[in-house]
Amino acid sequence: MKGKLITLEGIDGSGKSTITERLKNHPSLSDVVFTREPTKNWIGNVVEQAIQSDTDQIAEFFLFTSDHAEHIAKLIKPNLENGQNIISDRYLDSRCAYQGATLSNRFENSIQWVKSIHKGWTIIPDLTIFLDIDPEFAIERCGNRGQQTKFEKMEFLQQVYDNYQKLIKEEPVRFVVVDSNQPVEEVEKDVVDIITSYI
Ligand code: TMP
């Protein structure tokens, strides 16, 4: 693959969406293809319905994973092959962290189970930026922006946060951690510096 795949990860309320919007307008990233998961295609729309409802966790996992497969086939792989650099707002690790949490009472090692289903067909990111925020602060931010989803609960987000920490420990080279408790301008600067020195 000629292009680089960079992903942004973090718990709900980590400021990831705000940072992504700022990156989209940053002059030094004007050649980058921006994308996200859940996607905006029809499978992504079904995923949104699952998030808003009480869907079985395994069914929900496979919806997120179907969306990922379609995302890779239609956008990620062709663009990387064309030499395009890509930034994705959420990707593979969101499944490991979030579904690793929703499925923790269904499988002994749910993160490894999630990883095993992706093995052999996913494209591993070249670089993953984790926006690190205190879960209590993140929950406060989620509350301030209005209606909360089923994922935006303190105990659950703490579990998701702990799962991200495990993923970072497993792959300390791929992950770069940015302190998202800082003012947004500082977070943006750190993220832009990391990306521009990488690509
Ligand atoms: P968003 O807030 O970044 O739009 O993501 C929507 C929600 O979906 C968020 O709570 C994280 C969750 N999510 C998963 O649980 N698994 C996944 O694989 C992805 C991509 C998102």
Side-chain angles (χ1 to χ4, degrees), residues 18-178:
T18 309
I19 291 299
T20 307
E21 284 315 305
R22 285 173 165 252
L23 297 183
K24 283 181 186 168
N25 295 319
H26 204 283
S28 53
L29 299 176
S30 57
D31 290 342
V32 173
V33 171
F34 283 88
T35 184
R36 57 163 281 136
E37 286 186 15
T39 67
K40 295 286 182 194
N41 73 24
W42 73 268
I43 308 178
N45 293 341
V46 178
V47 168
E48 290 296 341
Q49 290 181 40
I51 295 172
Q52 302 303 335
S53 64
D54 178 30
T55 306
D56 172 75
Q57 289 92 347
I58 293 181
E60 187 170 76
F61 163 78
F62 281 109
L63 291 176
F64 276 115
T65 307
S66 298
D67 188 40
H68 183 63
E70 180 73 359
H71 191 204
I72 288 178
K74 299 287 165 57
L75 190 140
I76 302 285
K77 197 161 181 278
N79 275 293
L80 290 179
E81 284 173 350
N82 256 335
Q84 281 286 345
N85 294 317
I86 303 174
I87 297 178
S88 185
D89 173 5
R90 295 201 184 282
Y91 188 76
L92 170 65
D93 299 299
S94 283
R95 224 117 43 252
C96 295
Y98 281 79
Q99 277 59 55
T102 62
L103 297 173
S104 61
N105 51 10
R106 309 280 286 264
F107 301 99
E108 205 176 311
N109 189 336
S110 49
I111 297 181
Q112 291 311 318
W113 184 84
V114 169
K115 282 193 175 181
S116 72
I117 303 289
H118 288 79
K119 220 174 180 167
W121 60 270
T122 191
I123 296 174
I124 307 284
D126 296 290
L127 176 74
T128 299
I129 297 173
F130 177 69
L131 297 183
D132 193 351
I133 196 169
D134 179 359
E136 276 187 37
F137 186 26
I139 272 290
E140 224 176 274
R141 275 198 190 165
C142 293
N144 290 343
R145 72 180 179 212
Q147 205 192 2
Q148 283 174 275
T149 72
K150 64 182 176 185
F151 293 148
E152 296 172 352
K153 306 264 156 42
M154 185 57 206
E155 202 183 320
F156 180 75
L157 275 196
Q158 183 66 55
Q159 209 182 339
V160 174
Y161 182 86
D162 294 344
N163 285 346
Y164 273 122
Q165 296 306 315
K166 287 181 194 156
L167 297 169
I168 294 165
K169 219 170 164 191
E170 276 178 26
E171 291 182 77
V173 175
R174 174 163 69 88
F175 278 95
V176 178
V177 178
V178 169

